[in-house]
Each structure stands twice: as structure tokens, then as C-alpha cells.
Amino acid sequence: HEGYTHYTTNAGLPSLREAISRRMKRDYGVDIPLHRIVVTAGAVSALNLSLLSLVEAGEEVLIPNPVYPNYEALVRMQGAVPVYYPTKAENDYLPMAEDIESLITPFTKAIIVNSPNNPTGAVYPKSVWEQLLRLAKRHDLFIISDEIYDGIIFEGEHVCPLALDETMHDRVISIYGFSKVYAMTGWRLAYAIVPESLFTLMCKLQEPVTTCASSISQKAGEAALDGPQDFVEEMRDVYRHKRDLSCQMLREANIPFHVPMGTFYIPIHVEHTGMTAQEFAMKLLLDKKVVVAPCGTFGPAGKYLIRVCFAGDVNQLKE
């Protein structure tokens, strides 16, 4: 009715970017000017633009193992090389700086970090982030920080890398969105906080990729950020209850799993069945008509992991 049905600038509506800037100050204490905020059609688009801006064909990008499978696909789409760095169950799926450093070569350009993590639910503490920032500074690397689940944390707190080291603002891209915290998956809306030196380039690259995010979605994003936030805490409590219920049922069934600190996923180990995750998931589907995500597509470490989402109806979850 107000006429917000047209193209916006590549970077997004100034009013939404102002709301994002207020949000970053409110939640993380960082001052982000509008010329460092790029609104995108979902977090995947923000990741794609980030890689387009940074990575040349043949260069390497370090990605966690296990992790969201689109990272590998996005890196390969640039003609670049994905290199997995380990995050191990015995270390609560937290990355070790020395493990990452051993994989760095003259071709390494960036590290993708995902906290809270999909599929492990790991939440990286300040000490881990400090190590990652020092590592990136030492080797002159960029960090692409996917923080899409920053509002869904049950233990600990979200650490925004931009709040830890101002000298790294020209080396860190932080990506946030509306899909998870505000349950706006279909609105396709996210944003990247980018180094000032990359802003103009990312806006130019957005033009042939999506031109801009939906103007209608952008106005909805403003309403989400500037409206009451009490329901976010309420939903987090609901998710926490479902997580605890799921963990209790898995313990009672003697099924090995990892307790997620954030997100709404539980990684479950199936190696003791003698099947891979893919085999187990297919048998579960065919025999019991139950769908789970086999994590073999989440990297080599996911070969014997399945992922269960506990965000849905609680009675279905119990069943």
C-alpha cells in the first residue's frame, strides 16, 4: 500500500540498513556505518557475494568439517578449492587453531567459520575466536563468519568477531539473517557486515546476481529488527525445552549423540549400527517412514552422523 514494490539500491533500503546498524550497536556494541552493510536475498547469497569478492579461481578456502554443505558448493562455484579443517566431537566440535594453521598454504585466501554451527550445534567461545582472529592476522587471511543462528543459543553466548578486534574489521565479513531467529525462511533476507574496501565491489556484484533483495521483505526485516523482541526469548525457551526433551529420549534409548549448545539440530552417531549415515537414513525412511539428514554431505566427518531437527511440532518430535 505504501508503494515499496520496486527495485531498491543494490545495498538495500537505507532505512533497513539503519535498523541493522542499530541492531549491531544494541546487541554487540559495534558501530557499523551504512557503507559497510549489504542486504542480500538470504544468507547463501551473502556467502556467494563474499566469495565472489575475495576468491580467485585456484585459490583455497578453509571450511569446517562437518558443516553446512553449501559452503563446499559455493567455493567450487568460484573455481576455488575447498579445504576442510577438523572440528572433533571429543573437543565439542570446536576448531583448534593449530589444526587450521597446518592446512594453510600460499593459495589460502579465507576461512569460513560457522558459529553456532550447523549441524553440530557448537557455539564458539571467545577464546576460540581470539585464536582464529590471531591466525587470520598472522597469515593475512579473510574470515567469513556465518552467524545466521546467533539468536538461538542455549548455553554460553554468541561472540561477534567484529566486537573483539577493531583492527580486523578490514578482514572479517559477518553474515546475519532473518530466516532462523525470526522464522522468515521464505522471505529470503539477510545481510553482510563487510570491510569498507569491499562494499562497492559487493554492491556491483549483487547487480548481476540478484540486483537487490525483495523490497517487501526488506520492509518486513525493518519490522522484525525494530519491533518487540520478547518473542525471540520465548521461542528460544521453546527450542531449549525441545532440545532437552530430545536429549532425554536419546539417553533413555542409549543412542550416542552430541548435546547442541545452539541452533535447533542434534547430531546423532550411527557408526555402531554398522551402517553409514546415508545407509541408515535410507533404511529409516523405507522401514519407518521417518526422514533425517545424513551428514555425509556435510563433509567427510559426517559419514556416520545423522542430523535431527527439533524445531517442529513437539508431539511429532516425541513420536
Side-chain angles (χ1 to χ4, degrees):
H1 284 296
E2 294 177 11
Y4 288 99
T5 57
H6 304 283
Y7 294 124
T8 73
T9 61
N10 297 131
L13 290 169
S15 54
L16 174 57
R17 288 152 63 210
E18 288 167 357
I20 291 167
S21 182
R22 289 192 295 272
R23 185 261 167 163
M24 294 302 294
K25 181 66 174 180
R26 179 181 70 224
D27 292 351
Y28 299 121
V30 290
D31 293 305
I32 305 295
L34 266 59
H35 58 268
R36 288 186 55 205
I37 300 170
V38 180
V39 178
T40 62
V44 171
S45 182
L47 287 161
N48 187 41
L49 288 175
S50 301
L51 291 166
L52 278 170
S53 301
L54 294 177
V55 182
E56 302 290 347
E59 290 184 324
E60 297 171 350
V61 178
L62 298 170
I63 60 177
N65 183 22
V67 80
Y68 179 54
N70 277 351
Y71 291 171
E72 178 179 343
L74 286 164
V75 171
R76 292 193 184 280
M77 281 170 58
Q78 318 299 326
V81 181
V83 177
Y84 282 99
Y85 61 85
T87 62
K88 301 172 183 175
E90 57 267 29
N91 192 41
D92 293 326
Y93 288 108
L94 299 176
M96 304 286 286
E98 55 267 31
D99 290 337
I100 298 175
E101 193 156 30
S102 68
L103 298 169
I104 294 173
T105 74
F107 297 99
T108 307
K109 189 64 173 288
I111 307 170
I112 296 180
V113 182
N114 178 213
S115 174
N117 182 273
N118 174 15
T120 67
V123 175
Y124 298 1
K126 181 180 178 182
S127 58
V128 167
W129 267 114
E130 288 174 337
Q131 292 177 34
L132 293 173
L133 289 169
R134 286 196 296 268
L135 179 69
K137 185 180 292 187
R138 190 159 60 246
H139 292 277
D140 198 26
L141 302 176
F142 285 89
I143 287 181
I144 301 173
S145 176
D146 181 355
E147 303 170 51
I148 190 71
Y149 295 95
D150 69 323
I152 307 176
I153 294 178
F154 312 120
E155 277 83 38
E157 61 180 7
H158 180 67
V159 176
C160 170
L162 296 171
L164 290 182
D165 187 349
E166 287 190 3
T167 67
M168 286 295 288
H169 278 215
D170 62 343
R171 286 275 152 180
V172 174
I173 297 174
S174 279
I175 295 171
Y176 301 90
F178 298 82
S179 291
K180 312 305 179 184
V181 177
Y182 297 105
M184 291 171 63
T185 51
W187 295 80
R188 306 313 301 132
L189 188 67
Y191 53 96
I193 311 298
V194 307
E196 191 172 338
S197 60
L198 289 178
F199 176 78
T200 300
L201 175 60
M202 286 186 70
C203 289
K204 287 182 178 179
L205 288 168
Q206 176 122 279
E207 175 64 29
V209 175
T210 55
T211 303
C212 62
S214 158
S215 58
I216 302 165
S217 296
Q218 291 187 54
K219 296 305 289 185
E222 282 183 43
L225 290 177
D226 287 340
Q229 302 296 305
D230 51 339
F231 68 91
V232 176
E233 183 65 37
E234 291 171 10
M235 284 308 302
R236 189 157 47 235
D237 289 341
V238 170
Y239 289 144
R240 182 184 289 109
H241 169 71
K242 292 178 180 179
R243 180 205 59 170
D244 293 344
L245 178 66
S246 302
C247 291
Q248 177 187 337
M249 290 188 288
L250 289 166
R251 288 192 188 98
E252 290 173 354
N254 294 315
I255 297 173
F257 68 98
H258 185 78
V259 179
M261 300 294 105
T263 75
F264 33 64
Y265 307 116
I266 294 185
I268 298 172
H269 301 268
V270 298
E271 188 169 7
H272 62 285
T273 67
M275 291 179 277
T276 65
Q278 183 73 23
E279 292 166 342
F280 182 89
M282 287 303 298
K283 183 172 176 58
L284 190 63
L285 172 62
L286 295 174
D287 292 356
K288 302 294 184 180
K289 305 299 185 286
V290 174
V291 177
V292 296
C295 292
T297 56
F298 288 66
K303 184 177 181 180
Y304 296 105
L305 279 180
I306 61 169
R307 189 196 71 177
V308 169
C309 176
F310 54 83
D313 178 77
V314 69
N315 291 320
Q316 284 190 338
L317 183 65
K318 289 178 181 178
E319 182 184 356

